[in-house]
Amino acid sequence: MASEKNEVKAAESVATAVSEMQKLMAEKAFKMPGENNPIMAHKYGADPAVLEYKDTLYVYSTNDMQQLEFTKGKIDNGYNKITSLNVFSTKDMVNWTDCGEIKVAGKNDLKGPALWASNSWAPAVCWKNINGKDKFFIYFADSGNGIGVLEGDSPVGPFVDPIKAPLISRSTPTCAKINWLFDPAVIVDSDGKGYLYFGGGHNPETYEHPMNARCVALADDMVHIEGEPQVIDAPFLFEDSGINKIGDTWYYTYCTNWQDRKDSKDPNKMPVAVIGYMTSKNPLGPFEYKGYTLENPGKYFGPWGNNHHWIFSFRGKWYIAYHTQTLEKMVGCEKGGYRCVFINDFAVNADGSLPIQKVTKKGVEQLNPFGLGGIVPAATFAASRNVAVTTKQTLVSVKDGAYVCIKGVQFTGSEKAFEAEGAVAAGKSIKLLIDSFGGNGSEICEAKADKSGSVNGALNGVSGLHDLYIVLPEGVELLNWSIK
């Protein structure tokens, strides 16, 4: 009877901690063992922006999961309910920590600091040392009507609205007639100077040269602009500004539009919805068209949708983040437009030109082994099944035998014990397996919960590099764990 009561309590705990859509994603969305894309499969996210700070990489994304909670996947993603951003972090490019959500737009629910904004789409992120203190900035689109900026003291916030108004609006010089005031990109040059890029849309008669992209210098405080935004004549522009400096060359990248090209005689004619690029020796242009570098992900993974990217370097290697729609059919959404983040290697030719990039579900290689000894947030993993991450960044198992996989864990042979903090029914066990989940994996620990809820277990001796599977009974809510 006691066991049955514990199971009932566990089911009740899951019901209150996890939404219907989180449970759906936990049960249906997954990655194969050889896949590192999408970077996390338990929630949707789009329009990735990337920030490197110290030894950690952060990825911010439009919170498509918020829209799914509203639509239940029964209608197409209309983005209108999205007021927050997702944040994930990694130190090795394959194991990621869900750092939670950042509330942004607060006009309708008063939860976000930008009380003038109705939505938060397509973030751009950077950091800068100002007056001896590292400051972090998020630029975001209020649908297609303006661009705001938030400021914080850490990569995950809390963030405030320093100017309490749009940074870019239709009253900004040269911006009144832009179709869509959205999709910002930002960069801080080595001299500390910041620059912002934005814009999108076209009219059918001007689809070859929409003249809707802009670039502008940022003030030293990063929350005001200097001078008038300059026009970038980006051929076939649609959306998704990007900016990078490679060597002494500035690369402006963007997504091309969907307009039929059959009557176009423009020499710069590119396919629809690919990532084109232009170069300049000056951050504010003029930029010269060079070609395109990323096919639409629909060509490889299906279905076709908008193309949004962020090119970045981390520990001396170049990568590209972008979004696909690979998860929505897997989980059974009736309609589409719910996106997830991929990362692949990014190639640059010796002459500075950009080839067509290779994109795969395999993704990138792990940069370094996952080290043990410290406390690990439970929402840290490379892959998972039947687990959801709550708004408190706790991990909840929705079925018996749920697991998270941490790839490339370095065991020294001296690890003696596993400890976990969270809510685990007395007598229930958390098991640790290496190298595989299920019958082919080797069990190295069974940690049982005592009456106080503490979970401890002795480790069998193991050394070398292994994938670690943490297997959970149903109803567990895990805060963190450690192997010492």
Side-chain angles (χ1 to χ4, degrees):
M1 286 295 292
S3 174
E4 291 178 0
K5 287 181 180 179
N6 285 339
E7 290 176 3
V8 169
K9 287 182 179 179
E12 291 174 347
S13 174
V14 169
T16 57
V18 177
S19 72
E20 175 189 353
M21 291 298 102
Q22 285 179 308
K23 189 170 186 292
L24 176 69
M25 295 293 289
E27 293 175 345
K28 299 291 187 180
F30 65 93
K31 297 189 285 188
M32 299 298 289
E35 296 174 349
N36 291 322
N37 280 327
I39 61 172
M40 287 198 129
H42 67 285
K43 65 167 62 169
Y44 292 110
D47 311 321
V50 181
L51 173 75
E52 179 183 358
Y53 184 66
K54 296 185 176 179
D55 64 344
T56 303
L57 193 79
Y58 296 86
V59 173
Y60 303 72
S61 70
T62 304
N63 189 2
D64 279 15
M65 195 69 192
Q66 192 175 14
Q67 191 77 18
L68 185 76
E69 295 287 2
F70 175 73
T71 67
K72 311 300 182 188
K74 296 183 182 299
I75 61 175
D76 287 332
N77 187 352
Y79 324 118
N80 60 305
K81 298 296 180 180
I82 299 175
T83 60
S84 62
L85 303 170
N86 298 322
V87 190
F88 309 108
S89 69
T90 185
K91 295 180 184 295
D92 61 20
M93 295 300 292
V94 300
N95 295 297
W96 294 84
T97 299
D98 186 334
C99 300
E101 299 178 3
I102 295 173
K103 303 296 183 184
V104 179
K107 183 176 181 178
N108 298 319
D109 60 13
L110 304 181
K111 292 181 179 179
L115 297 177
W116 55 271
S118 298
N119 295 114
S120 58
W121 301 350
V125 293
C126 67
W127 70 274
K128 179 181 174 180
N129 187 280
I130 299 177
N131 297 324
K133 187 172 185 179
D134 292 345
K135 290 286 188 178
F136 301 84
F137 301 92
I138 297 175
Y139 303 84
F140 67 94
D142 179 26
S143 63
N145 297 313
I147 294 169
V149 58
L150 302 182
E151 178 181 315
D153 292 330
S154 89
V156 295
F159 286 90
V160 298
D161 182 349
I163 59 176
K164 298 179 173 54
L167 172 62
I168 302 291
S169 71
R170 299 200 181 277
S171 64
T172 303
T174 79
C175 296
K177 295 183 180 180
I178 293 177
N179 292 71
W180 298 328
L181 277 180
F182 73 171
D183 285 11
V186 68
I187 190 170
V188 178
D189 199 3
S190 56
D191 62 2
K193 190 64 181 173
Y195 302 92
L196 188 71
Y197 303 74
F198 57 92
H202 68 278
N203 300 315
E205 63 274 13
T206 61
Y207 76 95
E208 294 174 307
H209 291 271
M211 310 299 279
N212 273 341
R214 299 290 186 271
C215 56
V216 67
L218 290 163
D220 289 342
D221 64 5
M222 299 295 288
V223 300
H224 296 88
I225 64 172
E226 285 185 350
E228 291 190 356
Q230 302 299 303
V231 175
I232 301 176
D233 180 11
F236 300 93
L237 170 80
F238 188 57
E239 59 184 4
D240 178 30
S241 287
I243 190 67
N244 294 92
K245 188 179 183 184
I246 303 176
D248 63 351
T249 302
W250 296 80
Y251 290 75
Y252 174 72
T253 46
Y254 62 98
C255 181
T256 61
N257 60 47
W258 296 84
Q259 193 80 23
D260 192 324
R261 316 283 203 243
K262 65 181 180 180
D263 296 325
S264 175
K265 295 180 174 58
D266 193 296
N268 298 328
K269 184 165 59 177
M270 290 177 282
V272 299
V274 298
I275 301 301
Y277 78 99
M278 307 176 76
T279 63
S280 176
K281 295 300 182 181
N282 187 306
L284 299 179
F287 287 89
E288 181 183 359
Y289 168 79
K290 294 294 184 179
Y292 73 97
T293 187
L294 184 71
E295 300 276 9
N296 190 282
K299 180 176 179 178
Y300 305 102
F301 311 116
W304 284 66
N306 68 337
N307 202 351
H308 202 110
H309 74 295
W310 191 283
I311 300 164
F312 64 97
S313 63
F314 184 52
R315 297 187 190 169
K317 292 189 64 177
W318 284 96
Y319 300 94
I320 186 167
Y322 57 99
H323 63 226
T324 72
Q325 295 171 225
T326 57
L327 291 181
E328 60 187 13
K329 297 301 180 185
M330 182 185 294
V331 303
C333 287
E334 295 178 31
K335 297 294 183 177
Y338 302 93
R339 301 156 296 178
C340 52
V341 175
F342 276 43
I343 295 179
N344 281 103
D345 294 321
F346 187 80
V348 181
N349 293 326
D351 63 359
S353 63
L354 303 181
I356 304 299
Q357 305 299 323
K358 296 178 181 179
V359 297
T360 63
K361 286 188 175 181
K362 180 181 178 181
V364 303
E365 297 296 325
Q366 187 168 354
L367 290 182
N368 51 269
F370 189 96
L372 298 174
I375 294 174
V376 180
T380 300
F381 46 86
S384 65
R385 195 71 189 269
N386 292 316
V387 299
V389 178
T390 72
T391 55
K392 301 177 293 182
Q393 286 77 67
T394 58
L395 193 74
V396 173
S397 57
V398 301
K399 284 188 177 180
D400 197 47
Y403 70 81
V404 294
C405 172
I406 297 89
K407 286 189 173 181
V409 178
Q410 183 66 61
F411 291 88
T412 66
S414 62
E415 293 83 11
K416 302 298 182 184
F418 171 83
E419 298 178 0
E421 183 180 357
V424 184
K428 292 281 187 177
S429 294
I430 295 176
K431 295 182 179 181
L432 305 188
L433 279 67
I434 56 171
D435 299 328
S436 180
F437 174 74
N440 295 326
S442 300
E443 185 174 314
I444 61 170
C445 179
E446 181 176 0
K448 284 191 175 182
D450 60 24
K451 292 180 180 179
S452 70
S454 297
V455 180
N456 299 276
L459 247 67
N460 300 335
V462 58
S463 61
L465 200 63
H466 301 274
D467 293 342
L468 173 66
Y469 290 81
I470 302 177
V471 186
L472 307 170
E474 183 178 357
V476 167
E477 184 172 12
L478 208 60
L479 178 61
N480 56 56
W481 59 269
S482 62
I483 293 177
K484 299 178 180 179

